[in-house]
Amino acid sequence: MRIGLGKGLAAVVVAGLVALSAAAQAQQAPIMIKGQPYEYDKDNAQDVMRICAGCHGELGNGGGGGAYPRLGGLNADYLAEQMRKFKSRERENIPMIPFAVDRELSERDVLDVTRYLSEIKLDTKPPANMPADGYARLQIMKKVLQIPREPGDAEAGKAFYAADCGPCHGNKGQGRLKKPALAPQFIPYLKTQVDSFLSGKRQHDDIEIMKARSPEEWKNLWAFLSSLQD
Ligand code: HEC
Ligand code: HEC
């Protein structure tokens, strides 16, 4: 996965990183991979991102009508854990099978690309003053993630969400650590996940609280989640 960087330069960069992170490491044990301490390699992350971009977008903004989830700005530990679940097939993901094997994507690649994705900041609205230049506009729009609104009673959905989901996923769907952000995220993607939880294909805590809700209540929940961006 490593392209570019002459060995000399790489050594200087690594030495710099080691010095920079020495203080941090004094407090926190480094992550070890095959006996070597792990250091974030942004160049490698960008190389790996080229594979992911075909489906998830250059900035991890997702798309395909919600077939491909937004990844940009999600928690790095959550993303890495999902990658490991794809690799072990604990979580099924047929489109990603060719990429989610050790030969294609090492643990180092997983840590690099998930950290890179977690540091991307996506906006939910275009800025008020858009540049006139077409190329500049295109670059800005790549960072804008707009979730189509879902029909339903968003107020009722808010009450359902606050009671059952907010305590873990955050009151505005912003997520917390390994409890992923649910907003802004493509609703068709989230619906597929809930179907997988309900059928036992994917694991979720307290599944009974999901089973207890009617289709009408779910519709309202999606209406609420799709309204959180504005
Ligand atoms: C061929 C298309 C494709 C490629 C390439 C691809 N993915 Fe995916 N990815 C998907 C699909 C489809 C899903 C949704 C699966 C589902 O519905 O559960 C997904 C889901 C994910 C998720 C789960 C997100 C969540 O919120 O739980 C992560 C993380 C992820 N991909 C990371 C990556 C990374 C990193 C790469 C590059 C190494 C990559 N993907 C490449 C198609 C792709
Ligand atoms: C006890 C904490 C908890 C509660 C309560 C909770 N969740 Fe979750 N949720 C999680 C965790 C943890 C995950 C990640 C699961 C994994 O690792 O695969 C998750 C994942 C999800 C996902 C998948 C997101 C993605 O990006 O793939 C969806 C959708 C979801 N939850 C919806 C809900 C909804 C809707 C509710 C309320 C009915 C809810 N959750 C309540 C902890 C919680």
Side-chain angles (χ1 to χ4, degrees), residues 7-48:
K7 276 206 178 107
L9 178 57
V12 172
V13 170
V14 169
L17 284 173
V18 169
L20 270 178
S21 60
Q25 284 182 6
Q27 286 152 5
Q28 207 184 339
I31 300 169
M32 301 297 284
I33 301 174
K34 294 185 182 146
Q36 297 292 316
Y38 164 74
E39 294 286 354
Y40 177 48
D41 179 345
K42 191 172 176 182
D43 288 333
N44 185 48
Q46 282 171 318
D47 279 348
V48 176

Side-chain angles (χ1 to χ4, degrees), residues 29 38 82 99 124:
Y38 164 74
Q82 297 307 308
F99 313 100
T124 52

Side-chain angles (χ1 to χ4, degrees), residues 132-159:
D133 173 58
Y135 181 74
R137 292 170 76 98
L138 200 69
Q139 293 310 106
I140 289 175
M141 287 313 288
K142 276 187 188 164
K143 284 196 152 192
V144 179
L145 178 63
Q146 281 171 312
I147 302 300
R149 291 291 287 260
E150 292 277 320
D153 181 347
E155 272 305 306
K158 184 179 182 177

Side-chain angles (χ1 to χ4, degrees), residues 32 34 45 78 121 125-126 209 213:
M32 301 297 284
K34 294 185 182 146
Y78 170 74
K121 300 254 179 303
K125 281 193 202 78
I209 61 171
R213 297 290 182 164

Side-chain angles (χ1 to χ4, degrees), residues 157-171 173 176 179 182 204 209-210 213 218 221 224-225:
K158 184 179 182 177
F160 168 10
Y161 182 84
D164 288 1
C165 322
C168 286
H169 290 282
N171 60 345
R176 192 181 305 145
K179 293 149 189 141
L182 302 180
H204 191 283
I209 61 171
M210 290 191 173
R213 297 290 182 164
W218 278 105
L221 181 94
F224 170 65
L225 279 177

Side-chain angles (χ1 to χ4, degrees), residues 69-70 74 78 81-82 85 91 160-161 163-169 178-182 185 189-191 193-194 197 202-206 209-210 213 218 221-222 225:
R70 157 225 175 179
L74 292 186
Y78 170 74
E81 192 168 274
Q82 297 307 308
K85 286 182 180 177
R91 180 174 168 192
F160 168 10
Y161 182 84
D164 288 1
C165 322
C168 286
H169 290 282
K178 287 190 189 171
K179 293 149 189 141
L182 302 180
Q185 180 58 283
Y189 167 74
L190 294 177
K191 283 182 178 168
Q193 302 314 306
V194 168
F197 294 138
R202 189 179 167 193
Q203 302 307 309
H204 191 283
D205 296 335
D206 301 339
I209 61 171
M210 290 191 173
R213 297 290 182 164
W218 278 105
L221 181 94
W222 303 127
L225 279 177

